[in-house]
């Protein structure tokens, strides 16, 4: 692909949650150290820059009320997975986050979504990413293989299961970013993704290489900087400012990296994409 590839911004609708109650009071991933102090006001300020960047790019951002005692609720990507007005709810691996399940389901129901209560452990868009008309699904740390089968049934789509092997990259959205989903039939082959090869087992690396030969393969240093935890509208890619190599790769492919520092939220093991849930409302109007 050449530098002149014309990218087109696609309108997005997102769900976010202000980190009013953010802190690190427990540890369920290697980034979380409860002994390290957190600065909630700083988390809110950094989060606000992401919110403002989405709005400035013309996107629509809905908000869910933060609940006291649920410090991880800011990571709305884990709150569900939505396609065509149907919201598949989350069922968290760790009891610390179980209290988030009902508030997210209630939010979807109150905003015109048909809700599906899951029977299997899954952490929403943290582990499910839509590409073309298929769902890339992560497992290994959080969402189970059974949830991959459940999500395939709920949405009637092909699910491509990928296994994560590095505990620092415990959700699919920490190791793989969809830059242009080309949603719809036949889109998978034309979609662009970026990923961190070393975060996946050999079988999954083989699947990714075969199905996405043009993918951006990101260097370990950029993965370590949480660079893959990026949100893209097909033109702008909202990305960690420390993922320098990835930013250069994005430029080369005609994307426009928008660097945003969410360092405080990284203390909870989350970044830009974690704080962002895409709302695909289909023909419905939430
Ligand atoms: N502390 C949260 C957890 O461990 C972070 C979630 C990050 N979310 C994401 N989509 N990767 O569950």
């Amino acid at each position: 692909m050449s530098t002149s590839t014309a990218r087109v911004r696609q309108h997005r609708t997102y769900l976010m949650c202000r980190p009013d109650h953010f802190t690190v009071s427990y540890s369920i991933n290697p980034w979380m150290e409860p002994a390290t102090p957190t600065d909630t006001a700083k988390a809110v300020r950094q989060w606000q820059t992401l919110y403002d960047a989405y709005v400035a790019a013309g996107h629509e951002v809905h908000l869910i009320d933060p609940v006291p005692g649920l410090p991880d609720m800011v990571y709305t990507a884990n709150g569900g997975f939505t396609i065509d007005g149907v919201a598949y709810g989350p069922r968290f691996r760790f009891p610390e986050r179980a209290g988030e399940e009902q508030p997210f389901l209630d939010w979807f129901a109150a905003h015109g979504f048909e809700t599906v209560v899951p029977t299997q452990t899954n952490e929403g868009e943290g582990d499910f990413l839509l590409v073309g008309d298929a769902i890339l699904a992560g497992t290994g740390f959080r969402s189970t293989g059974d949830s991959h089968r459940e999500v395939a049934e709920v949405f009637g789509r092909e699910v491509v299961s990928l296994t994560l092997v590095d505990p620092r990259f415990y959700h699919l959205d920490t190791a793989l970013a969809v830059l242009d989903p080309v949603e719809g039939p036949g889109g998978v082959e034309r979609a662009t993704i970026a990923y961190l090869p070393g975060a996946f087992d050999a079988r999954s690396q083989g699947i990714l290489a075969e199905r996405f030969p043009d993918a951006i393969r990101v260097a370990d240093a950029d993965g370590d900087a949480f660079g893959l935890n990026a949100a893209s509208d097909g033109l702008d890619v909202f990305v960690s400012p420390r993922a320098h190599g990835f930013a250069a790769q994005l430029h080369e492919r005609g994307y426009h990296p928008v660097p945003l520092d969410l360092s405080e939220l990284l203390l909870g093991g989350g970044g830009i994409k974690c704080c962002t849930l895409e709302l695909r409302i289909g023909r419905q109007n939430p």
Side-chain angles (χ1 to χ4, degrees), residues 183-270:
E183 283 180 25
V188 181
E189 278 61 43
R190 291 178 292 124
T192 323
I193 66 163
Y195 66 98
L196 182 65
F200 296 91
D201 72 358
R203 184 196 62 93
S204 306
Q205 288 186 31
I207 293 171
L208 289 169
E210 192 191 317
R211 300 214 45 174
F212 302 99
D214 293 332
I216 298 180
R217 297 160 66 94
V218 172
D220 289 346
D222 295 321
D224 294 353
F226 237 59
L228 270 313
N229 198 244
S232 173
D233 61 24
L235 171 65
D236 297 312
V237 181
F238 305 90
V239 62
S240 158
R242 291 176 308 282
H244 302 291
F246 183 33
Q249 288 171 307
L250 287 168
H251 261 301
E252 234 166 73
R253 301 286 191 108
Y255 292 98
H256 174 216
V258 179
L260 287 163
D261 186 13
L262 262 54
S263 59
E264 198 62 24
L265 291 155
L266 189 54
L267 298 176

Side-chain angles (χ1 to χ4, degrees), residues 28-29 32 72 75 77-78 97 123 126 142 170-171 173-174 229 268-270 274:
I28 56 173
N29 70 56
M32 300 174 86
D72 276 341
Y75 307 115
N78 301 122
R97 295 195 68 180
E123 300 198 350
R142 301 291 181 90
Y170 55 93
H171 278 137
D173 73 358
T174 65
N229 198 244
C274 301

Side-chain angles (χ1 to χ4, degrees), residues 11-15 54-55 58-62 279 281 286:
H11 183 261
R12 299 273 187 257
T13 305
Y14 292 136
L15 179 64
Y54 287 152
V55 170
H59 302 304
E60 186 176 338
V61 186
H62 293 252
L279 298 173
I281 58 183

Side-chain angles (χ1 to χ4, degrees), residues 133-158:
D133 57 355
I135 296 166
L136 304 184
T139 189
F141 296 100
R142 301 291 181 90
S143 304
T144 60
D146 286 335
S147 78
H148 295 185
R149 284 181 278 281
E150 189 171 53
V151 83
E153 241 165 68
V154 168
F155 293 108
R157 286 163 186 260
E158 181 197 4

